[in-house]
Amino acid sequence: MRCSSTMLLAFVAPLLLLLPFTLAVKREDFKECAQTSFCRRLRSLAGRQESAPQGTFHSPYSLSDPVAVTNEGGSWTWPLRSELYPSVRFELRVDVLAEGDGIVRVRVDEVGSTTPFKRYNETAKWALLTPNPATSSAATLKSSSGKSVITYGPSSSHLSLEIAHSPLKITQLRKGKPEIVFNERSLFHMEHFRVKEIEKIEENVGGEGEQMVLKGGEMDRSWFEESDADMFQEKWKQWTDSKPKGPEGFSLDLTFPGVEHVYGLPEHASPLSLPDTTGPKAYYTEPYRLFNVDIFEYLADSPMSLYGAIPLLHAHSKSHSVGVLNLVASETWVDVRHDSDAVRTHWVSESGILDVLLLPGPKPEQLFEQYAVLTGPTPLPPQWSTAYHQCRWNYNDEEDVLEVDRRFDEADIPLDVTWLDIEYADEHRYFDWNAKFFPDPVRMLDAVASKGRKMVAIVDPHIKRTDSFRIYSDAKDLDVLIKKADGTNFEGWCWTGSSVWVDFFNENSWAWWTKMFDLKTWKESTNALFIWNDMNEPSVFDGPEISMPRDNLHAGGWEHRDVHNINGMMFHNQTSQALIAREDPAKRPFVLSRSFFAGSHRYGAIWTGDNMGDWEHLAGETAMLLSNNIAGMVFSGADVGGFFGNPTPELLVRWYQAGAFMPFFRAHAHIDTKRREPYLSDEPFRGYLRDIIRLRYTLLPVWYNAFHDASLRGLPIMRPQYAVFPEDNQGFSVDDQYYVGESGLLVKPVTTEGATTTQVYISDAQPYYDYFTHRLYPASAHQTLTLHTPLETFPLLVQGGSILPIRARVRRSSPLMWQDPFTLVIALSKQGSASGQLYLDDGVTFAHQKGEYIWKKFSFESGVLRSTNVHPAGEVVEKGVAPYDPEGNSWAQSIGHVKVEEIVVLGLKSKPKSVKVRGEEVEWKWTDGVSSSGKKEGGASELKIKNPGVGVVYDWAVEIA
């Protein structure tokens, strides 16, 4: 959310001057690389390297030869030196991890500094499942003059790491072919800790100022390392960054030989296949910036920072995929350049150690799994959170909330969650309801919950600085607030006015924050209320770049510059843990966050922030969400309708069609926009909106399957073309269509005004079926289909070979559907076969972790449709049910009566003679796709089997002869 003229009246006059009023991003509020001293210095390395005469520019870093190496069983450590600073000591450590089929970790840190400082080295503590994953004792090292070679990974992968000693260069190879090269361009550099040496320059043509000077007898380092006065103190606009540790930035170059596409680095409003930021083909003039900010109406196509930062990059070609995860939490800029032989990237960061993990692939699917090994998969969310959410800034009062709830029912539109933005809280003191407008929050929550629905209320990280507010007084007394550089509590301005921020890096805050959500503490809350963490970049209205000063201090003495990109994740994590702890037995939490980092997916969902309700932003959302998904942030979505603006009826319908196929499906709007709840639209638009929301509910089993796959293997829920068809180079740049998990559903939002036709690219040689009409598109690889897409429809195709479990009976909320029957839609492949799955559990508890679930595998082969039980160990449990509760109270038993009410088979070659279950004929109907006039209408043949008499819990077979 951002400001409006109405809400600004609530703030004191000085704050009015600090907040943006115009409906466009103010570029001048955010730095460019040249305005940031470390980026300016370190990015210039590439320019000096490219302009230097042949052989005069080289990496000053090397290992001694013969190599002095320490071996700790899959982990090796070498002394590393720089010829520029012989007295400064560095250390190179290489780990081959035990899990992940060949993940390698490369770390460099400064050691033995004569200053009292050290580099931030705790990013892995927060991002990874374990800060120091186990290493592989099977990895071996052989060293010779000038080179060390580590062999590792499964024998079939033929992986090796070649370390050139002088100058330092590290190459990951598969079968002797290089796939990732570190320091190929000699751009690796770590700015070591040093004492500031300055002299005054007498007033002259250039004016008076400070500069770094060389001591007598020191070598000239200007060919490699630049110096400037901003290394020890930096001013920008009215703010001064004290930089007490001086320069501590670092640069690295990573080259990906033989690839043409790189993906990742969310969050940016850019194409999925990242365009160049440097070189002759530069699409952007600035590098991709990773620095979480509260950006007002972000541009629809830009490398500017947004709300999240995941320093993960995938490099892909027809032959292989590899990835890198650069574990750095400070501000980072990344240049990308596509050359004829490789994609070359240059990363520069403000602080921290070098901690890079090399993911070997060799295909996208393995990259997703390897990233999940490191950071964990996305846990299963509450099932209801995958349904439809209705939000705006703001629903005014209890009456307004209940009126919205009622009108959804009247319009026959399902709804699971109603949201409250900042105005529910008295003076924006989160946890404190405004009693004038919400006199009985428990009554309101209970009324909503009576229909199976939930509510979400915002709890932002800024805490109103007033002793009468219990959250502030508690945090102050516990001494868990973020500090200024001088050690006093930091104060800034946000929605509450004068505010403070809890330091969630301080472990003393954790138990206290958990207690704040306890139902005995927050008595105006119930277990039907869930949480929205906004503004957690953090957003500080009167701070540099609308954020917190970099020299603020966190627990352990670390500066905010060191941990900035993790800050929002820490808030997200502790809020999620608090919701888990508030009930016994625990329920799955739902917490939405705006800021995120690598590992944030473990704690809940995110959304893409303050978008515009226009065609350009609608068109760009798919690529943004695909980028989030391949980087593990799968539970993500965009504000449907756009946060700002008043979309036309046509645009609103197209937004809903796109939103219904985002993992997180929420409509949201700014306080100054017109009310646009779907029931307010005139016909026929209201009907279109109702149909698309109901479609989401029909397909909820498909979405839950996809979330389940993500929870097991880290697989994306929105899968880009290159990830599904990694050998089809025609699809590598496609970022406006995608597949939903492994379901075979292919979606392409319509994002052009007035469009009545839309083109969809098909990679594989399988038939595709229109989900709505069952029209058949015959198998033909690498074809582009032109589909008829008037406003009431959009491209939604089913890939041949897929079986979709759906629930055709839509109720007013998804929890009310839990015992409803299923329909199976079978889209046959060119070979006449198909497969699919159905995963079910109670949707809210953690009982599934103890085996309380149903997971069925469906297969259609040689005219027989089978349902069989799936378990991780492969065993079949009695009656196809996950372990029974010995007391006879298992959830699985409670749905033993749930049936498959219909089976629809598309694409049979000929009309069957019989359809039998357990040897007995069942009711069926056949349509051959031919009209009464005998002409083909383009429809697939359709076999409908009504009430086959089979249940989802049991193993069974349907024979079609």
Side-chain angles (χ1 to χ4, degrees), residues 83 246 267 283 521 656 742 892:
E83 67 182 55
E267 183 178 42
Y283 179 77
T521 303
Y656 267 87
E742 294 186 316

Side-chain angles (χ1 to χ4, degrees), residues 417-437:
V417 194
T418 307
W419 290 55
L420 292 176
D421 212 314
I422 59 175
E423 308 310 322
Y424 84 92
D426 189 14
E427 297 182 340
H428 302 146
R429 298 181 308 192
Y430 311 109
F431 297 97
D432 282 2
W433 294 80
N434 187 325
K436 180 179 179 181
F437 301 109

Side-chain angles (χ1 to χ4, degrees), residues 582-603:
R582 73 180 179 179
E583 293 186 75
D584 186 17
K587 300 282 183 65
R588 300 177 214 173
F590 175 80
V591 182
L592 180 75
S593 173
R594 190 168 69 176
S595 178
F596 59 93
F597 187 68
S600 284
H601 57 269
R602 299 194 298 268
Y603 310 122

Side-chain angles (χ1 to χ4, degrees), residues 617-639:
H617 277 78
L618 171 59
E621 293 290 357
T622 299
M624 290 179 67
L625 294 172
L626 288 173
S627 182
N628 286 342
N629 267 254
I630 66 170
M633 202 68 242
V634 300
F635 200 2
S636 56
D639 282 346

Side-chain angles (χ1 to χ4, degrees), residues 913-926:
K913 296 179 180 178
S914 67
V915 178
K916 295 181 179 180
V917 176
R918 293 182 288 273
E920 295 187 8
E921 187 82 10
V922 295
E923 178 186 354
W924 55 279
K925 180 181 179 182
W926 165 263

Side-chain angles (χ1 to χ4, degrees), residues 75-96:
S75 177
W76 294 271
T77 305
W78 292 267
L80 178 67
R81 67 179 182 88
S82 167
E83 67 182 55
L84 300 180
Y85 298 97
S87 62
V88 179
R89 296 166 52 202
F90 299 94
E91 186 175 84
L92 167 68
R93 175 171 174 169
V94 175
D95 296 344
V96 177

Side-chain angles (χ1 to χ4, degrees), residues 714-728:
L715 300 178
I717 290 175
M718 294 174 64
R719 298 192 188 179
Q721 201 77 20
Y722 87 89
V724 181
F725 302 104
E727 297 180 5
D728 177 21

Side-chain angles (χ1 to χ4, degrees), residues 376-396:
T378 298
L380 268 172
Q383 181 275 331
W384 54 262
S385 67
T386 68
Y388 177 64
H389 302 243
Q390 182 64 50
C391 183
R392 81 172 273 109
W393 177 23
N394 205 81
Y395 289 120
N396 301 320

